DNA sequence: TGCCAGGCCGAAA
DNA sequence: TTTCGGCATGGC
């Protein structure tokens, strides 16, 4: 394992179990392991120092290591609610997930619970992803859009994903045909990107914002209104001036609100 | 058994 | 423009 040293605002549980990704699991020794970018990532923290199984530069990108989250938190925690949310979610980093994986995952997530989302995605990968090995153990990559586009809803019936299956196949086909172009999305403003992606059948405001935040790195996605309005029923925070990193702030709020059963 | 889950679609009001 | 039933399925 490679020692990355101390990384400020870096908590494995809050990163991998806050609901932004679905393919990482906690091992008995407290480390986390999963697959992203077609590779196995295994990491743990010991005495505040982060250890990682590979020095591939993709992990610096994936883990968003160049961003100063402590500065963001400092700016974020300004009132009772944001302080509680920020303290609760300390250590979250917004993962830079692969666009198609994020898109597919959040299509599957709709009107679903997290254990079942993980189960469906696990079945999807085990059956249609590519096999890779790490220390003699077998893992599976997330299937490509091309692979999913080649399948029928009957092929995917083993997922037991219900009506989401056709949404998934349709989105995969649109990615393959170029009707959805991630590079094009990359250049767009947040507003344009929302309009663009929501033209896809089965992608509404929620899935769109999750995809844009976790899959496209559009940190202004997932804006204030959804959870803050609900949270305001319990707290008096005002997030209106925090546009720049709204997405990150929103993940703190979302995580906190969900864990505390707020906004029902 | 019944409620609900990190929703969305399409029709009706 | 907002509201609402239906949708597949299984975790709890």
């Amino acid at each position: 394992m490679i020692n990355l040293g101390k990384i400020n605002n870096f908590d494995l549980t809050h990163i991998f179990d806050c609901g932004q990704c679905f393919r990482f699991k906690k091992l008995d020794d407290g480390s986390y392991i999963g697959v992203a970018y077609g590779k196995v990532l295994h990491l743990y923290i010991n005495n505040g120092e982060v250890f990682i199984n590979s020095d591939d530069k993709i992990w610096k990108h994936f883990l968003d290591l160049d961003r100063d989250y402590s500065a963001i938190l400092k700016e974020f925690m300004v009132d009772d609610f944001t302080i509680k949310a920020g303290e609760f979610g300390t250590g979250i980093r917004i993962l830079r997930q692969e666009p198609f994986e994020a898109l597919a995952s959040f299509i599957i997530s709709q009107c679903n619970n997290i254990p079942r989302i993980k189960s469906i995605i696990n079945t999807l990968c085990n059956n249609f992803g590519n096999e890779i090995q790490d220390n003699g153990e077998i893992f599976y990559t997330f299937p490509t859009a091309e692979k999913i586009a080649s399948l029928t809803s009957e092929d995917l019936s083993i997922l037991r994903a219900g009506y989401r299956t056709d949404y998934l196949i349709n989105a995969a086909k649109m990615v393959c045909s170029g009707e959805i172009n991630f590079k094009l999305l990359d250049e767009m403003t947040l507003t344009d990107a929302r309009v663009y992606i929501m033209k896809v059948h089965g992608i509404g405001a929620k899935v769109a914002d999750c995809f844009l935040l976790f899959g496209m790195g559009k940190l202004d996605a997932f804006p204030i209104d959804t959870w803050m309005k609900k949270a305001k029923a319990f707290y008096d925070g005002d997030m209106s001036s925090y546009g720049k990193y709204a997405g990150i702030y929103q993940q703190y709020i979302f995580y906190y609100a969900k864990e505390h059963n707020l906004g029902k």
Side-chain angles (χ1 to χ4, degrees):
Chain A
M1 298 291 268
I2 295 155
N3 187 349
L4 297 182
K6 294 184 189 300
I7 300 174
N8 76 71
N9 201 72
F10 194 91
D11 182 286
L12 296 179
T13 298
H14 287 170
I15 292 170
F16 293 109
D17 282 333
C18 73
Q20 65 171 320
C21 64
F22 305 101
R23 295 207 64 206
F24 279 78
K25 64 178 179 181
K26 188 176 191 176
L27 302 181
D28 291 340
D29 62 5
S31 65
Y32 275 79
I33 193 164
V35 177
Y37 292 89
K39 298 163 187 170
V40 174
L41 173 61
H42 186 191
L43 65 178
Y44 64 88
I45 295 178
N46 188 15
N47 288 329
E49 296 182 326
V50 179
F51 291 82
I52 184 170
N53 65 323
S54 154
D55 62 354
D56 195 311
K57 62 182 179 183
I58 192 64
W59 302 130
K60 189 176 182 184
H61 171 74
F62 181 63
L63 297 167
D64 204 19
L65 294 186
D66 285 334
R67 198 178 308 282
D68 185 354
Y69 280 72
S70 292
I72 291 169
L73 267 177
K74 191 176 176 184
E75 192 182 345
F76 170 68
M77 295 162 68
V78 294
D79 56 38
D80 182 50
F81 176 75
T82 53
I83 286 170
K84 284 181 178 172
E87 286 174 347
F88 180 79
T90 296
I92 288 177
R93 304 185 86 87
I94 304 299
L95 296 174
R96 305 294 298 265
Q97 301 180 55
E98 291 176 272
F100 180 69
E101 175 172 342
L103 186 67
S105 296
F106 284 97
I107 285 173
I108 290 167
S109 81
Q110 66 181 262
C111 197
N112 218 335
N113 55 62
I114 289 186
R116 188 158 168 258
I117 296 166
K118 288 182 174 177
S119 168
I120 290 171
I121 291 175
N122 191 49
T123 304
L124 177 69
C125 296
N126 290 355
N127 284 277
F128 305 107
N130 295 321
E131 184 179 312
I132 53 176
Q133 289 203 19
D134 184 78
N135 284 331
E137 198 176 344
I138 293 174
F139 295 83
Y140 294 91
T141 63
F142 198 92
T144 62
E146 288 75 15
K147 177 65 182 177
I148 292 177
S150 75
L151 301 171
T152 64
S153 51
E154 191 179 342
D155 296 329
L156 287 170
S157 62
I158 53 171
L159 302 182
R160 312 294 295 161
Y163 58 85
R164 305 168 192 86
T165 304
D166 289 337
Y167 294 160
L168 181 60
I169 294 171
N170 175 58
K173 285 181 175 172
M174 290 180 75
V175 169
C176 292
S177 73
E179 286 178 87
I180 300 175
N181 184 333
F182 296 135
K183 284 181 180 166
L184 216 56
L185 265 168
D186 220 14
E187 311 283 311
M188 290 184 195
T189 65
L190 177 61
T191 305
D192 290 344
R194 282 207 183 97
V195 171
Y196 181 86
I197 200 67
M198 282 174 64
K199 283 189 290 193
V200 181
H201 188 73
I203 296 180
K206 176 69 190 310
V207 172
D209 281 347
C210 285
F211 159 67
L212 292 171
L213 175 57
F214 303 122
M216 296 303 302
K218 290 194 181 294
L219 299 181
D220 287 356
F222 220 142
I224 302 311
D225 50 3
T226 307
W227 276 100
M228 204 60 203
K229 274 183 186 169
K230 294 177 179 177
K232 276 185 174 176
F234 302 87
Y235 293 90
D236 196 30
D238 178 6
M239 297 284 295
S240 57
S241 64
Y242 298 104
K244 189 177 177 186
Y245 292 112
I248 294 177
Y249 301 152
Q250 197 63 21
Q251 188 64 1
Y252 285 110
I253 294 171
F254 193 101
Y255 189 33
Y256 179 81
K258 181 154 179 60
E259 291 298 319
H260 291 78
N261 206 29
L262 302 180
K264 286 283 186 182

